[in-house]
Amino acid sequence: HPDEVCLPGGIVSDGIDKSIVQTCLREMEEEIGIGHNKTTVLGVLRCNWGEVHHLVGVAVTPVVCFLGEIGESQLNLNPSEVAECFTVPLESFLDRERWVHKQHYAPFFTGGPHIIWGLTGYIVHRFVMDIIERHDAVFANDT
C-alpha cells in the first residue's frame, strides 16, 4: 500500500508458495532483503477476522518471526516495493501512553519515527496484547 507504514507481506503465489509461512518469508526477502536462513519462524498470530475484514476487506494471516537485532546494513530494500524501512524497539510498544485508541479504528502507535496505524497498527497491537504482555516478556534493559 503506497504511503502507508506496513509490515512485509503479500499475496500467496500459486505454484510457488506451499504455505502462508513460505509467502511471508518470500515477501520479506523480496521487500527488505532478509532471507529465510536468517529468520526463525515462531508461529502465526491469531486475528479476529471480523476486525481484519473491517480494516482491509481481505483475509490476513500474520506470521511472527524472530530476526534478532536488525541494522540498516542488514537490509536491502527493494525500491519498487519499499520507500523506507524503520525499526521500533519491542519494549516501546509496551508503553500504553504511545497508543491511541478510537472506536471503530485500529489502534495507532505514536512512539516510533512514523505513526503506525491501520492494519499494521492492529497487527502490532495484537502481538503486544496476545504475546508480549500475556507471557511477561523480559527485555535486555529489564534485567
Side-chain angles (χ1 to χ4, degrees):
H1 300 276
D3 301 321
E4 292 184 18
V5 172
C6 298
L7 298 165
I11 297 172
V12 174
S13 258
D14 290 335
I16 296 174
D17 301 328
K18 293 183 170 100
S19 69
I20 294 292
V21 171
Q22 282 187 334
T23 300
C24 167
L25 297 175
R26 177 184 53 76
E27 289 283 347
M28 186 166 56
E29 187 162 7
E30 287 176 10
E31 294 174 8
I32 61 175
I34 296 179
H36 67 277
N37 59 335
K38 297 178 182 172
T39 305
T40 302
V41 176
L42 301 177
V44 172
L45 185 65
R46 298 179 67 93
C47 293
N48 178 316
W49 296 117
E51 292 171 349
V52 171
H53 187 269
H54 170 75
L55 294 170
V56 294
V58 295
V60 175
T61 305
V63 176
V64 179
C65 299
F66 178 75
L67 305 175
E69 292 291 324
I70 300 174
E72 286 185 37
S73 65
Q74 295 159 291
L75 300 174
N76 183 19
L77 304 185
N78 179 342
S80 67
E81 296 205 35
V82 178
E84 179 183 357
C85 188
F86 65 92
T87 61
V88 176
L90 278 177
E91 58 267 21
S92 297
F93 291 122
L94 293 172
D95 183 350
R96 292 178 189 258
E97 297 293 316
R98 296 178 180 198
W99 286 96
V100 176
H101 297 272
K102 293 186 177 186
Q103 190 172 3
H104 306 297
Y105 291 94
F108 290 68
F109 179 75
T110 62
H114 300 284
I115 294 174
I116 299 174
W117 57 281
L119 178 62
T120 305
Y122 172 84
I123 291 170
V124 172
H125 189 258
R126 285 300 291 241
F127 176 74
V128 169
M129 300 299 290
D130 295 351
I131 307 298
I132 303 295
E133 288 187 348
R134 181 175 289 169
H135 297 284
D136 295 323
V138 177
F139 298 98
N141 300 358
D142 295 342
T143 55

